[in-house]
Amino acid sequence: MLEDKNELQLLCEAVESKVGRKIQTPKDFEFLAERIFEQLHERISASTLKRIWGYVPQTTIPRTSTLDLLSQFVGNNDWQDFCHQLDPQPPLTPHPSEATDSSANKDSTTRQPSPRWLFFLLTALIVALAAVFLFKMCRSYEQPSYIIHKGQQFASIEEYLQLFGIEKAKDPWGVPLPGHELILVWGPQYQHPNWHNTGNVDSLMPTITEWWSAPDSLPEVVARYNRDRYDFLRRMGEVRITFMKNLVDTNYVFLGVYRMSHIQSDSSKIVWERVFDQCDLTRIADIETLRNPSTLFTGR
């Protein structure tokens, strides 16, 4: 076995060799999921494959059943068989002189260990090594460190929502984080026809000015809607992890963590100000401090 690669990495390489391509993009993962289903008639989701390949952070150990399917896909019986094939033990054969000269050792008080005893010894050694490997895997997945930075791009809403463990969202433009109802993953569109979402593109939007004005709406309706929304957001104190579409190209660009600026906002518009340039996915709870009354709506 290659010393600088673990079994999971080698399994991924075996799968890539099987399909004849590197698995690197969302389309590659969809392609691989279909190939596995065609061969085994069992499904592994593209999102699960992304976590195994490290395309998105994985917070749990891959299921043995998933590893079994990938191992079967490359021609092994299961995951254990794949690992065994990586490091097979050579057969134990006696030296010719030992096999032919047994009579010369009749008076010797030292006996050669029996093959059965060696089998149990080697099995115990393999089990111990597997336990050490699994322990290291558990430690490596305990607290994955993954930080997204301002300017990082994503091809779709689904791609960045998966970073937060969100598979599907009823309203993908503003999705509350599980366990943090007032921290939203926000996906506005730059210069939206109804919501506007304007700001300084050259600085990647240090502030985002947002107001609603639908076509053909009466001025008093527009004014009332924006006033009510201002009162609601001022009271709730939302914090938004923001990915903006069409700012640089058709991708979504991560802009940072934003909160409402009490100084710059009023009843006609909401001004969101960036307070963090990056987001540590392992420390989401820290963002709750932005909602603390002592720091909320202080401006910058």
Side-chain angles (χ1 to χ4, degrees):
M1 186 187 303
L2 297 177
E3 294 181 357
D4 60 342
K5 295 182 180 179
N6 62 34
E7 286 88 343
L8 188 57
Q9 289 175 305
L10 292 171
L11 177 58
C12 291
E13 291 180 1
V15 171
E16 291 176 340
S17 178
K18 166 83 173 181
V19 299
R21 65 197 284 183
K22 284 286 186 180
I23 306 301
Q24 297 174 326
T25 68
K27 289 185 178 179
D28 290 334
F29 290 105
E30 295 290 348
F31 164 80
L32 178 56
E34 290 301 321
R35 286 293 307 276
I36 292 171
F37 180 74
E38 289 173 4
Q39 178 173 320
L40 303 177
H41 301 292
E42 296 280 354
R43 285 206 179 274
I44 302 178
S45 69
S47 59
T48 297
L49 294 172
K50 288 178 183 179
R51 288 191 287 270
I52 290 176
W53 258 256
Y55 185 80
V56 297
Q58 176 151 243
T59 57
T60 59
I61 301 173
R63 293 182 179 178
T64 303
S65 59
T66 301
L67 298 178
D68 285 343
L69 287 175
L70 289 174
S71 300
Q72 292 166 13
F73 181 68
V74 296
N76 296 100
N77 294 329
D78 52 28
W79 168 240
Q80 186 176 5
D81 181 46
F82 175 82
C83 294
H84 178 68
Q85 295 298 326
L86 294 175
D87 192 16
Q89 297 295 330
L92 297 172
T93 56
H95 191 277
S97 63
E98 295 175 353
T100 58
D101 195 22
S102 59
S103 60
N105 296 322
K106 287 183 180 179
D107 297 331
S108 176
T109 57
T110 304
R111 291 197 169 194
Q112 297 296 326
S114 68
R116 183 183 296 273
W117 185 84
L118 285 173
F119 171 79
F120 286 120
L121 177 62
L122 292 173
T123 300
L125 180 61
I126 291 171
V127 170
L129 290 174
V132 171
F133 168 72
L134 288 174
F135 175 76
K136 289 183 177 180
M137 280 190 72
C138 290
R139 291 293 299 275
S140 67
Y141 286 118
E142 264 181 6
Q143 285 193 336
S145 178
Y146 189 78
I147 299 175
I148 50 178
H149 300 271
K150 183 180 71 175
Q152 191 169 341
Q153 296 190 33
F154 299 85
S156 66
I157 294 173
E158 292 75 18
E159 185 177 348
Y160 67 72
L161 285 181
Q162 288 179 357
L163 298 176
F164 303 92
I166 302 170
E167 296 289 342
K168 294 182 179 180
K170 182 178 179 181
D171 180 9
W173 313 110
V175 186
L177 288 182
H180 304 280
E181 294 183 357
L182 292 175
I183 299 178
L184 271 64
V185 183
W186 186 31
Q189 176 180 320
Y190 179 63
Q191 293 185 334
H192 188 279
N194 291 353
W195 291 99
H196 304 284
N197 299 323
T198 62
N200 187 336
V201 178
D202 294 335
S203 301
L204 285 183
M205 311 292 279
T207 61
I208 301 172
T209 301
E210 174 190 40
W211 71 94
W212 179 84
S213 59
D216 302 325
S217 295
L218 295 175
E220 56 268 25
V221 173
V222 172
R224 184 172 64 252
Y225 184 91
N226 285 308
R227 182 180 62 251
D228 292 346
R229 192 162 182 275
Y230 167 73
D231 292 339
F232 174 79
L233 290 173
R234 180 187 176 95
R235 185 170 65 253
M236 299 304 292
E238 288 181 357
V239 178
R240 297 187 172 187
I241 303 171
T242 303
F243 301 79
M244 179 167 279
K245 185 179 182 182
N246 295 342
L247 185 65
V248 177
D249 52 28
T250 57
N251 290 335
Y252 286 85
V253 180
F254 175 66
L255 298 180
V257 181
Y258 287 71
R259 68 181 175 190
M260 176 182 170
S261 169
H262 180 56
I263 293 176
Q264 300 177 72
S265 301
D266 57 35
S267 61
S268 65
K269 66 183 182 300
I270 304 297
V271 178
W272 299 94
E273 61 176 350
R274 180 167 53 230
V275 289
F276 287 150
D277 287 344
Q278 62 186 26
C279 180
D280 188 340
L281 301 178
T282 68
R283 303 183 63 180
I284 292 296
D286 291 355
I287 298 177
E288 287 282 1
T289 60
L290 297 176
R291 301 191 59 255
N292 188 299
S294 64
T295 60
L296 191 60
F297 307 137
T298 57
R300 297 190 69 185

